[in-house]
Amino acid sequence: MWKTVWNYILLYALGAWYLLKELISSHKKPSGILNQSGRVAIVTGGGRGIGLETVQQFLELDMTVVIGGRNVPELEKAVSKVRGSNKDLGKVICLDLDLSSLTSVRRFAEAFKALRLPLHVLVNNAGVMFWPQEVTEDGFEYHWCVNHLGHFLLTHLLWPVLKASSTPDKPARVVNLSSSTHYIGSINFEDINSKIYYNAQAAYNQSKLAQVMFTKELDERIRAAGENIIVNAVHPGVVATELFQHVAWAHYFPWLVRAFLKTPRQGSDTVVHVALSQLALDGGHYYENCTKTPPAAAVRKPSDLRHLWEISCQQCKIVDFGGL
């Protein structure tokens, strides 16, 4: 019981601090972005919220965007709605992807490769927040699989395409969407699937910390291998999206969401900046409001980074991640 209470206290204290921080800080928009015509991006969960706004910004820059999501007709309908009559810029391809199924992740990667397109930007955006306890078909806790493990596997499977598409002047990039809640998260290496004790907030925080730790460890391995790919993590801000469907106060007081939280468009700005800006050309960082920000202390523990990497590879049945 006390664990649950403490998790709520930490979460709401952090949330209050970030709401205040964002209210008193000016919002920064993407900058330093060159011509993106002819370039290709993948956005997971690109049919709503931050993902859809990221897709729209990429299309406005004349990129080809491949969206991965669980309902292709709904993805197509959402993109058609945001594009309106402006169908001249960019191109969209929608493919089926369910990140709670590692089999689906593999199918998506094969479907993308069958398109024979390059891949310049991979945005690991899709996620769930405060999900009721559920185990995936592969036996993993739902947050863990959707937010971290599915994207870990997807990045591995697409690594050869990213590597082949990268050039010295325009390196390929991977953007992992994390959250400020990673600061209060911890990796429970003894019970990573939350079988002994389940708390939706703690499970979410753990998955978002894992994304930042994955980012840091992947960057270290990229550097060691001398490869030319940039990977960074992003906190998009406290954004009014459908992720808040399981947050009690947002359900009962929707006007608070509209009044104080960032819009999805604002939330996509840091994603787009990190994905495309010439001012974000080094990797292994965590960004908030288009600005490099020190991550949680847990991200600076090399032994934990390696341990998480090894567990993730084992769970995804990866022998050699991307050949790194």
Side-chain angles (χ1 to χ4, degrees):
M1 178 65 180
W2 68 268
K3 284 185 179 180
T4 301
V5 173
W6 181 241
N7 280 320
Y8 273 109
I9 292 172
L10 285 176
L11 181 68
Y12 281 98
L14 181 74
W17 161 245
Y18 265 85
L19 282 176
L20 177 62
K21 181 179 178 180
E22 292 179 359
L23 283 171
I24 63 177
S25 301
S26 59
H27 176 75
K28 296 181 180 178
K29 297 187 71 63
S31 58
I33 297 177
L34 304 178
N35 183 359
Q36 299 296 314
S37 181
R39 289 169 65 78
V40 179
I42 287 177
V43 180
T44 67
R48 61 182 184 178
I50 296 167
L52 183 58
E53 293 292 344
T54 300
V55 168
Q56 184 172 13
Q57 292 208 51
F58 285 170
L59 290 176
E60 290 167 358
L61 292 163
D62 200 21
M63 297 181 74
T64 294
V65 187
V66 178
I67 305 176
R70 290 184 293 179
N71 188 324
V72 169
E74 287 299 318
L75 294 177
E76 293 171 342
K77 187 186 298 183
V79 172
S80 178
K81 184 176 180 180
V82 298
R83 292 186 77 166
S85 60
N86 186 12
K87 301 185 185 299
D88 295 330
L89 294 180
K91 179 182 178 182
V92 176
I93 301 169
C94 299
L95 298 176
D96 183 72
L97 172 63
D98 180 356
L99 285 157
S100 70
S101 165
L102 298 186
T103 298
S104 176
V105 174
R106 293 186 177 94
R107 280 200 299 259
F108 173 85
E110 289 305 313
F112 175 77
K113 290 175 183 177
L115 297 173
R116 300 192 179 280
L117 292 171
L119 178 58
H120 304 103
V121 179
L122 170 60
V123 180
N124 290 322
N125 163 79
V128 293
M129 184 172 74
F130 307 160
W131 202 259
Q133 188 171 14
E134 184 175 345
V135 177
T136 69
E137 65 183 40
D138 300 290
F140 302 115
E141 188 276 319
Y142 206 76
H143 292 91
W144 184 251
C145 193
V146 173
N147 294 353
H148 169 60
L149 215 56
H151 285 128
F152 185 92
L153 176 61
L154 182 62
T155 305
H156 159 69
L157 295 171
L158 296 176
W159 198 258
V161 190
L162 285 162
K163 186 176 178 180
S165 307
S166 191
T167 62
D169 60 325
K170 287 187 177 181
R173 306 193 196 192
V174 178
V175 183
N176 292 321
L177 262 74
S178 182
S179 166
S180 60
T181 63
H182 90 276
Y183 285 109
I184 57 174
S186 62
I187 307 296
N188 187 348
F189 288 111
E190 302 304 316
D191 184 28
I192 214 157
N193 280 303
S194 307
K195 292 181 179 179
I196 298 172
Y197 165 75
Y198 183 78
N199 174 269
Q201 288 74 25
Y204 175 74
N205 299 345
Q206 174 182 249
S207 70
K208 289 303 179 180
L209 173 59
Q211 278 296 81
V212 186
M213 292 173 69
F214 165 44
T215 299
K216 182 64 176 176
E217 180 65 12
L218 179 55
D219 177 70
E220 293 291 336
R221 291 171 184 260
I222 290 169
R223 291 171 184 269
E227 293 195 357
N228 186 38
I229 297 175
I230 300 168
V231 55
N232 283 303
V234 165
H235 166 57
V238 186
V239 182
T241 70
E242 291 183 27
L243 283 180
F244 278 84
Q245 62 184 305
H246 296 294
V247 179
W249 68 265
H251 177 75
Y252 291 109
F253 304 102
W255 62 272
L256 285 174
V257 174
R258 293 190 296 270
F260 295 107
L261 273 60
K262 284 188 175 184
T263 65
R265 180 72 176 205
Q266 290 174 320
S268 72
D269 282 340
T270 299
V271 180
V272 173
H273 179 82
V274 172
L276 304 177
S277 176
Q278 292 297 108
L279 304 177
L281 286 174
D282 54 338
H285 299 290
Y286 167 75
Y287 280 78
E288 294 181 358
N289 198 20
C290 297
T291 305
K292 290 179 190 173
T293 305
V299 183
R300 299 190 292 274
K301 296 179 180 178
S303 61
D304 284 355
L305 298 182
R306 288 192 297 270
H307 193 185
L308 175 63
W309 181 276
E310 291 163 359
I311 288 174
S312 301
C313 284
Q314 181 183 31
Q315 292 178 331
C316 292
K317 296 181 172 58
I318 297 172
V319 176
D320 184 19
F321 186 102
L324 291 172

